[in-house]
Amino acid sequence: MATLEKLTRLSEPSIQGTQAVRKIVKDAEDLLKQSKRDHVCICETHPKLAFLISDSHTQLKLCASLESNLRQHLADLESTTQLKEQQADDLRQEMATIIELLKDREVVENEFRSPHMPDSESGEVKKHTLYDHIDQEAVDALQVRVNDCLNELRIIGDANHEQCAQALRKIDGIVIPAAEDISVTWEGVEAIGKLVDESQSAADEIAQDVQSIDHHCDQLRDTIRDMELEGGVLSMDDYNVLLRDTNEVSGIVADLDETLAGVRRRADEINVRFLQYSAFYDESTRRFAAVAQIAEIGQQYVQDVASEQIQYAALASAVDTALEDMWGLVSWYRQFHSAYDGLIAEVHRRRQAQRELLGAIEDMRARLDAVHVEELRVRAAFVDREGPFLPSDLCPFIQDPPPRYTIEEAGDAGRFASVQSHETRYSKHIVDSHAFNPPSPT
């Protein structure tokens, strides 16, 4: 009976040890499952995270480039329209200046054609200026054309400007997570795998120790049952074996607690790495999504304004063409104004040449008349002296008078007679529109 009581007292620490060990086993299994699950997630996340990290700088660079291009486009829209308007204003000023010069330049020579008819009542003729020889309607039409193109350009440019500004406001509202300077390598993933293998080995050791404790408890339980049922006798050696095994239970539990602590430490390390991977991956995914959103905004803006950009470019080209036509007219009018000075000088030169030519003609006429008279005298003297002795049929033409030569006028010799002396002033612009034609505005 005393032996049975001893055995019963041995069963209590064995049972407690078994319960403690089973809890250790469950904790180890749970920790191992968590470590394996974290390891699988890390292995799955690694290639995606590695790509996102390696591509992060490219993404951010493209994003910054897109935003920079949009801002530059915004500035270009404003500057292009303002430049065209400034060019048009400068040209209007230049055109107005030359028009005033043409209006102030009076045509005073009578030889120059005036488009004005005398007044039916007073008989007065409106002052004749160089301005009378330009096509003001063509100038006005060209200016209207420039203004219409500029107005449409401003409307499209303002609308495009607002769309671009709105796209930039949307981009400004998108927060791009900062790129962490981290390194994810496959060697790190392999190191985590080794930690899982170590935890697996530790769990296997725990399982073996649990089997030995279970075996001890089974022996102890069977011995107590046999003695209770059959009243058997337990030898001192067998008792000592059971006692020794029971005393070892607490040590085994302590060792298993230490082993479990190692499993937990590795599980915590793996879990921290898993949380880091998850956090980095989520952050990189958000960064990628933000960049994709910015790219989508930029692409949508380009699509929305594609047709307007074509129209804007066409209008800008039309404005350039119209301004070029107007500059052509301005340049022609300047040459007109300047050439008029040359025209005055040329008329005076021709008048002087005409006077010299007329003087030469009068001199030639006098000389011809003198030669003719002298020839008449000489022929008459010959006929008087020798004629009576010459038969008429020998040389009939000997009695003919000498031929008379005259200088005939071809053209209007008096056309320059009424051109009066006129001192020209220096200025730059055009020629008589009846003699020269300015470029036609297209």
Side-chain angles (χ1 to χ4, degrees):
M1 191 67 182
T3 302
L4 183 60
E5 291 178 359
K6 290 180 181 180
L7 292 175
T8 301
R9 285 196 298 270
L10 291 178
S11 65
E12 292 179 3
S14 298
I15 294 172
Q16 292 175 356
T18 301
Q19 291 174 349
V21 168
R22 293 191 183 283
K23 185 177 183 306
I24 292 173
V25 170
K26 184 179 184 307
D27 291 345
E29 289 177 349
D30 291 342
L31 291 172
L32 183 59
K33 288 180 181 179
Q34 175 185 321
S35 296
K36 289 182 176 180
R37 184 173 61 250
D38 291 346
H39 181 235
V40 170
C41 292
I42 289 173
C43 290
E44 293 176 350
T45 305
H46 174 79
K48 296 183 285 188
L49 179 59
F51 168 76
L52 289 175
I53 291 175
S54 64
D55 198 49
S56 175
H57 294 294
T58 301
Q59 295 173 18
L60 294 176
K61 185 176 179 180
L62 291 175
C63 184
S65 176
L66 173 62
E67 183 176 357
S68 175
N69 289 339
L70 282 176
R71 295 192 185 281
Q72 183 61 47
H73 177 64
L74 188 68
D76 290 345
L77 282 173
E78 184 65 27
S79 62
T80 298
T81 305
Q82 288 180 350
L83 177 62
K84 301 298 180 190
E85 291 176 341
Q86 184 61 50
Q87 290 175 342
D89 289 340
D90 294 343
L91 187 52
R92 291 189 195 98
Q93 254 184 341
E94 195 68 24
M95 180 64 79
T97 300
I98 186 58
I99 291 294
E100 287 303 315
L101 284 175
L102 295 177
K103 287 181 177 179
D104 291 341
R105 190 63 186 275
E106 184 177 3
V107 179
V108 297
E109 284 75 9
N110 295 330
E111 296 299 324
F112 300 148
R113 227 175 267 176
S114 174
H116 305 302
M117 299 297 294
D119 185 85
S120 57
E121 296 181 359
S122 63
E124 295 181 355
V125 179
K126 185 179 178 181
K127 184 173 74 171
H128 180 198
T129 66
L130 295 182
Y131 175 75
D132 296 324
H133 297 273
I134 71 168
D135 188 354
Q136 183 64 50
E137 291 183 359
V139 175
D140 294 341
L142 194 55
Q143 288 182 336
V144 169
R145 178 174 143 209
V146 171
N147 292 338
D148 290 344
C149 289
L150 283 175
N151 289 336
E152 291 186 48
L153 197 69
R154 169 56 72 180
I155 292 173
I156 294 177
D158 288 346
N160 201 335
H161 186 280
E162 177 56 31
Q163 287 177 291
C164 187
Q166 186 177 2
L168 284 171
R169 286 194 294 270
K170 290 180 181 179
I171 291 175
D172 290 339
I174 297 174
V175 178
I176 302 178
E180 296 287 345
D181 188 14
I182 61 173
S183 174
V184 290
T185 62
W186 186 248
E187 288 77 7
V189 177
E190 290 179 337
I192 294 173
K194 291 179 180 178
L195 293 178
V196 175
D197 293 339
E198 291 175 4
S199 293
Q200 181 66 62
S201 299
D204 293 340
E205 292 177 4
I206 291 173
Q208 290 177 0
D209 290 338
V210 169
Q211 289 179 359
S212 64
I213 292 177
D214 286 342
H215 179 68
H216 167 69
C217 289
D218 290 342
Q219 284 184 330
L220 185 59
R221 187 171 50 253
D222 292 343
T223 301
I224 293 174
R225 186 181 64 248
D226 291 344
M227 292 186 68
E228 287 177 343
L229 294 177
E230 301 176 2
V233 177
L234 182 66
S235 67
M236 184 57 64
D237 291 338
D238 291 337
Y239 174 77
N240 289 334
V241 171
L242 292 174
L243 178 61
R244 184 194 63 202
D245 291 342
T246 300
N247 291 334
E248 290 178 353
V249 168
S250 60
I252 293 173
V253 171
D255 291 341
L256 292 180
D257 278 334
E258 185 177 349
T259 303
L260 178 63
V263 173
R264 180 174 286 107
R265 184 182 63 255
R266 287 186 290 270
D268 291 342
E269 184 178 348
I270 294 171
N271 185 250
V272 168
R273 195 61 176 167
F274 162 72
L275 293 176
Q276 289 176 336
Y277 262 79
S278 299
F280 293 154
Y281 180 73
D282 291 342
E283 182 180 276
S284 298
T285 302
R286 288 195 301 273
R287 185 184 309 110
F288 183 83
V291 172
Q293 189 177 0
I294 291 174
E296 183 180 358
I297 292 173
Q299 183 179 7
Q300 187 62 48
Y301 167 75
V302 172
Q303 292 175 352
D304 290 343
V305 302
S307 60
E308 295 178 358
Q309 281 295 300
I310 295 175
Q311 187 178 1
Y312 185 88
L315 282 171
S317 178
V319 170
D320 288 339
T321 301
L323 292 177
E324 185 177 350
D325 290 343
M326 285 191 69
W327 276 117
L329 280 179
V330 168
S331 177
W332 198 90
Y333 291 158
R334 286 173 177 168
Q335 295 299 324
F336 176 26
H337 191 279
S338 177
Y340 178 69
D341 291 338
L343 179 62
I344 296 295
E346 176 64 11
V347 168
H348 284 286
R349 187 198 66 76
R350 293 188 184 186
R351 183 171 176 271
Q352 180 63 29
Q354 181 72 6
R355 283 198 300 266
E356 293 176 359
L357 181 59
L358 289 176
I361 290 172
E362 292 300 324
D363 180 67
M364 180 59 70
R365 281 175 176 168
R367 291 172 60 190
L368 288 175
D369 288 344
V371 170
H372 183 73
V373 170
E374 178 63 18
E375 182 67 14
L376 283 174
R377 185 190 66 75
V378 172
R379 289 190 183 194
F382 176 81
V383 170
D384 290 343
R385 185 177 67 253
E386 306 293 345
F389 309 104
L390 295 173
S392 61
D393 58 349
L394 177 63
C395 186
F397 65 85
I398 200 65
Q399 299 291 332
D400 293 344
R404 185 176 183 87
Y405 294 93
T406 61
I407 298 176
E408 294 184 0
E409 177 183 316
D412 187 1
R415 182 169 180 80
F416 295 96
S418 61
V419 176
Q420 301 176 11
S421 176
H422 178 74
E423 182 180 354
T424 60
R425 299 190 303 268
Y426 172 81
S427 53
K428 292 195 173 221
H429 282 272
I430 322 185
V431 186
D432 183 22
S433 61
H434 297 284
F436 302 94
N437 295 315
S440 300
T442 56

